[in-house]
Amino acid sequence: MTLLEVKNLKTYFDTSKGLYKAVDGTSFDLDYGEALGLVGESGCGKTTCALSITRLLPKEGKIHGGEILLEKTDLVKLNDNEIRSRRWKDVSIIFQGSMNALNPVMKVGDQIAEAVILHEKASKKEALKRAEELFELVEMPSKRINNYPHEFSGGMKQRAMIAMALACNPKVIIGDEPTTALDVMVQAQILNLLEKLRKELKMGLILITHDLSILAETCDKIAVMYAGKIVEIGTIEDIFEKTAHPYTQRLISCFPNVGKEKILPPAIEGVPPNLLEPIKGCSFYPRCHMGIPICLEVEPESRGLGGKHFAACHRSGEVSHEQ
Amino acid sequence: MTRKMIVRKLLYAMLTILVVLVFNYILFRVLPGNPLSMMMRNPRATPETIAAVKEFYGLDQPWYLQFFTYFKHLAQGDLGISFVYKAPVADVVAQKILPTVLMVGLAEIVAIVVGIFLGIIAAWKRGTKLDVATLSFSLVTYSVPTFWLGMILVVLFSVQLKIFPTSGMFTPGKDFATTAAMLQDLFRHLALPVLTMSLVLIGQYALTMRNTLMDVLSEDYITTARAKGFRERYILKKHALPNAMLPMITIIAINIGFVVAGAIQVETIFSWPGLGRLMYEALRARDYPLLQGVFLLVTLSVVLANVLADITYSYIDPRVRN
């Protein structure tokens, strides 16, 4: 049984200027103990995708179509009470930056304990005991659960956040840029910790980032998002060795190579399309260096390229793999 | 907060009070007009009388000697003699404290409770008609002139409906058989000044509470709490309000400090025998000792309220504690 299956998810925002199609037909799946990296530019719909899974969208946002199957239960169809009881218990989220993701006037241990009390019907004492265990699991001294968030460094806050995310043994953990605000050393520690934990605890991990390089080391699969759609999805090898979408190729060439000559990597010129307006043809066409007339007319379908490798490009076979 | 920090805060507070005292002393003396001009209106006042009065109050001394005399007496707890009341300033002021604290204090309590409640509702129901209604009410009462509002309420409740008396603290010349009867009379007199005063104050509390709470509700840790599966009410109570109350404490403390200063406009309109009206009368009569006495009291209470706010703050905000 697949752990999580997202099928043709459509999440739109109702704005004063019209319908903003933040996520428009996204599909992917995730297995137990597997890690999926979701990568793309700011505003491409990564976070909206994550928030849709536990239906934490702001009130302007609505799921207009698709299914989110968690062990065969469609989360989209659950009522408010049912989805609330699933949050954190089944799917927990480690938020962006983590700087403010913890309540500044509440002890960290209490913040962990309250989730345990809510979902596991534990007593306060048991819940705090659990918080101590979780701190040890994320390699922090257990007595620090009595500290407030401001007494922690950035990396420690992120560890505490991870401990909190593990509180109710969730099946899926979503990391929304969990290492963005951290320095490189701490970033590596946090990623290693996440990798170790998801393998030990057999959890599915969705890692959202705009940094492809960190996904290469921690994930099994990568999905590249552009303008609300997944343009390419596949294993690490598929994405890096058999790149089949020009956008992926440009993203890969965007990270500097330390060993080589000192030149700044080429930027991807132009800006992503306005998602308020209907897009004809391929949404990446205006920025693409491989565009041909058909790209302007027909939206490319996601096509299988062998195994679990899919790409939505008319010229997917011709993308060069050299960097 | 450590004892050392509290001591340091108190020392700073004392320094502030000292500076304000000097400033007040100078302020009243550079104001145009002097107390003798009031007395000289009396046609029977001879130059000899005026000279005698001058000598009695020490006004014949050079300014620097008056200054040192003032501080010497102050150190002994002597606030001087009021020019107008011909009685020790301390006694005159003491009589007015209770009515003011009663009236303004009650109004503050009403305004804080109602204002914060309205602010919470507005932020919670952001964008709905309830929010618009609360916001409009707050803006209107916040910007309405106090004296105008007071007069409108008098016209409405005293003249038209005849429910509440127009002025004073008790019905003049009335003997009360029981304490209950006296209290009832007091509360009937309190109603309009308290209503006016709290209406004026509610807006500030409601608007600040609404803005702070809206900021807090958009913080990441609120999203975290939602992701944890909590109900909105629980999130409001446990996560949003403790954070939103922090800035409110500062505003409440500053306003509580001014409770003692009374409300000059409200007390004048309703002839409330409090410190605000006393200040107004003292200013008109250029009654320096009395003015300085009232200002000293106001300074003390404002500074003290701020020290208390600092200490309270350190208890509710862990980031300030260390």
Side-chain angles (χ1 to χ4, degrees):
Chain A
M1 187 166 62
T2 320
L3 173 59
L4 179 74
E5 268 180 281
V6 175
K7 288 183 186 167
N8 203 20
L9 177 69
K10 290 179 180 178
T11 305
Y12 300 161
F13 286 88
D14 204 357
T15 70
S16 53
K17 290 177 192 148
L19 221 49
Y20 184 93
K21 301 181 173 180
V23 174
D24 197 15
T26 294
S27 307
F28 58 85
D29 51 57
L30 185 71
D31 225 329
Y32 295 91
E34 193 178 43
L36 168 75
L38 212 52
V39 68
E41 279 165 286
S42 304
C44 72
K46 305 174 301 245
T47 300
T48 305
C49 205
L51 293 179
S52 299
I53 294 174
T54 44
R55 307 228 319 257
L56 281 168
L57 298 161
K59 65 173 187 246
E60 296 80 13
K62 244 197 175 121
I63 298 177
H64 279 245
E67 292 176 315
I68 299 165
L69 301 173
L70 181 79
E71 295 182 329
K72 304 286 175 213
T73 314
D74 190 354
L75 299 182
V76 178
K77 292 202 177 74
L78 297 182
N79 68 29
D80 285 355
N81 277 331
E82 287 166 341
I83 190 75
R84 251 202 306 272
S85 68
R86 296 256 175 174
R87 287 178 189 154
W88 225 253
K89 180 96 189 85
D90 286 347
V91 183
S92 60
I93 309 182
I94 302 165
F95 282 103
Q96 218 160 13
S98 193
M99 291 305 153
N100 236 338
L102 295 164
N103 186 341
V105 300
M106 208 168 163
K107 283 180 186 171
V108 177
D110 289 343
Q111 298 187 48
I112 297 175
E114 64 169 5
V116 181
I117 294 169
L118 176 74
H119 292 289
E120 314 280 343
K121 308 277 172 283
S123 70
K124 175 97 193 225
K125 209 177 149 195
E126 289 162 359
L128 283 173
K129 184 97 186 59
R130 172 86 181 130
E132 284 181 358
E133 288 165 18
L134 288 163
F135 259 47
E136 271 159 26
L137 195 63
V138 298
E139 291 150 16
M140 292 231 283
S142 58
K143 63 176 192 297
R144 303 276 323 230
I145 63 159
N146 291 316
N147 284 136
Y148 288 93
H150 74 276
E151 293 166 301
F152 285 173
S153 68
M156 287 163 83
K157 273 188 211 169
Q158 201 55 280
R159 279 175 196 269
M161 189 72 214
I162 293 172
M164 190 152 95
L166 296 170
C168 306
N169 298 314
K171 295 167 181 137
V172 179
I173 288 198
I174 303 173
D176 188 356
E177 313 244 7
T179 57
T180 299
L182 305 175
D183 67 67
V184 193
M185 290 302 290
V186 181
Q187 183 172 323
Q189 289 170 5
I190 296 289
L191 290 172
N192 285 339
L193 178 70
L194 273 176
E195 195 177 353
K196 191 186 100 186
L197 289 171
R198 64 129 169 142
K199 280 177 182 158
E200 273 176 24
L201 305 170
K202 291 262 174 262
M203 295 179 304
L205 175 70
I206 299 177
L207 207 56
I208 297 175
T209 178
H210 52 249
D211 186 355
L212 250 181
S213 61
I214 69 169
L215 296 183
E217 291 151 36
T218 31
C219 292
D220 307 312
K221 288 196 297 194
I222 292 179
V224 181
M225 271 191 99
Y226 186 78
K229 293 185 169 74
I230 291 181
V231 292
E232 185 170 0
I233 185 167
T235 62
I236 301 288
E237 275 157 30
D238 293 336
I239 297 292
F240 284 93
E241 315 280 328
K242 301 177 199 155
T243 316
H245 197 284
Y247 180 60
T248 315
Q249 187 202 17
R250 300 293 295 270
L251 273 185
I252 294 170
S253 64
C254 265
F255 58 99
N257 205 323
V258 182
K260 286 191 186 163
E261 65 220 277
K262 287 176 186 165
I263 46 159
L264 275 175
I268 306 176
E269 274 160 35
V271 288
N274 182 356
L275 298 179
L276 282 167
E277 283 154 19
I279 299 162
K280 200 179 173 205
C282 175
S283 56
F284 188 58
Y285 176 78
R287 301 169 77 185
C288 187
H289 59 287
M290 290 173 60
I292 49 173
I294 188 179
C295 302
L296 202 53
E297 296 299 325
V298 183
E299 189 190 335
E301 299 255 323
S302 191
R303 281 181 296 177
L305 300 160
K308 287 197 160 187
H309 190 192
F310 292 86
C313 179
H314 291 299
R315 301 180 66 187
S316 54
E318 304 161 45
V319 177
S320 83
H321 306 131
E322 295 146 34
Q323 316 241 331
Chain B
M1 195 185 275
T2 59
R3 181 170 301 173
K4 207 171 134 194
M5 282 167 81
I6 294 177
V7 169
R8 202 169 61 196
K9 284 223 183 298
L10 287 174
L11 281 177
Y12 274 121
M14 267 143 77
L15 192 70
T16 314
I17 291 170
L18 204 68
V19 171
V20 174
L21 276 178
V22 174
F23 185 77
N24 279 348
Y25 187 88
I26 297 166
L27 180 74
F28 294 127
R29 272 147 191 88
V30 297
L31 280 177
N34 69 67
L36 293 171
S37 60
M38 301 300 289
M39 262 175 258
M40 278 187 280
R41 286 194 205 151
N42 187 334
R44 280 188 292 175
T46 61
E48 289 77 36
T49 330
I50 291 171
V53 169
K54 252 187 161 175
E55 203 196 326
F56 178 76
Y57 288 114
L59 293 170
D60 56 340
Q61 305 278 331
W63 66 269
Y64 51 88
L65 275 184
Q66 289 186 39
F67 183 77
F68 285 116
T69 315
Y70 170 65
F71 274 91
K72 204 177 91 192
H73 287 168
L74 193 64
Q76 293 161 352
D78 177 7
L79 296 175
I81 306 284
S82 160
F83 295 160
V84 176
Y85 287 83
K86 316 273 185 294
V89 167
D91 297 352
V92 177
V93 170
Q95 278 176 12
K96 306 285 182 182
I97 292 180
L98 188 68
T100 282
V101 169
L102 187 66
M103 194 271 281
V104 188
L106 216 57
E108 279 287 351
I109 293 170
V110 172
I112 289 169
V113 172
V114 177
I116 288 181
F117 183 71
L118 286 181
I120 293 173
I121 291 185
W124 194 236
K125 302 279 173 194
R126 188 190 56 188
T128 63
K129 278 181 187 156
L130 202 60
D131 178 26
V132 175
T134 314
L135 201 59
S136 320
F137 172 78
S138 305
L139 281 172
V140 168
T141 53
Y142 194 20
S143 43
V144 142
T146 313
F147 67 89
W148 181 85
L149 183 66
M151 287 191 290
I152 293 290
L153 290 176
V154 166
V155 170
L156 193 66
F157 289 101
S158 306
V159 182
Q160 299 290 330
L161 298 169
K162 298 194 179 13
I163 309 176
F164 298 120
T166 53
S167 64
M169 197 169 163
F170 293 103
T171 312
K174 194 170 173 184
D175 280 327
F176 298 107
T178 58
T179 323
M182 192 187 80
L183 282 179
Q184 200 203 354
D185 192 56
L186 172 64
F187 280 113
R188 286 189 60 231
H189 281 84
L190 264 173
L192 284 188
V194 168
L195 182 62
T196 313
M197 190 80 201
S198 41
L199 275 178
V200 171
L201 290 166
I202 281 173
Q204 189 195 0
Y205 287 119
L207 291 175
T208 318
M209 189 66 202
R210 177 180 180 270
N211 287 346
T212 330
L213 189 55
M214 264 164 44
D215 282 349
V216 168
L217 285 173
S218 65
E219 289 281 358
D220 290 344
Y221 51 81
I222 298 297
T223 317
T224 309
R226 284 204 182 105
K228 278 153 89 176
F230 288 109
R231 286 173 184 279
E232 297 292 315
R233 244 168 215 284
Y234 176 93
I235 295 171
L236 180 73
K237 218 172 83 188
K238 286 276 183 161
H239 290 274
L241 285 181
N243 280 286
M245 281 313 287
L246 299 178
M248 293 306 290
I249 296 290
T250 314
I251 297 175
I252 291 173
I254 291 169
N255 283 346
I256 295 284
F258 282 106
V259 163
V260 175
I264 297 183
Q265 290 190 55
V266 173
E267 289 189 2
T268 309
I269 294 165
F270 294 99
S271 305
W272 191 260
L275 286 167
R277 222 170 118 231
L278 184 69
M279 207 190 301
Y280 171 68
E281 282 167 4
L283 192 63
R284 278 197 359 174
R286 301 287 182 272
D287 195 340
Y288 296 156
L290 189 54
L291 271 177
Q292 282 170 184
V294 177
F295 271 55
L296 174 64
L297 186 69
V298 173
T299 310
L300 276 177
S301 67
V302 170
V303 172
L304 203 70
N306 273 290
V307 172
L308 283 178
D310 277 350
I311 295 172
T312 318
Y313 212 101
S314 73
Y315 276 102
I316 54 174
D317 189 346
R319 286 164 295 186
V320 179
R321 205 173 300 159
N322 320 8

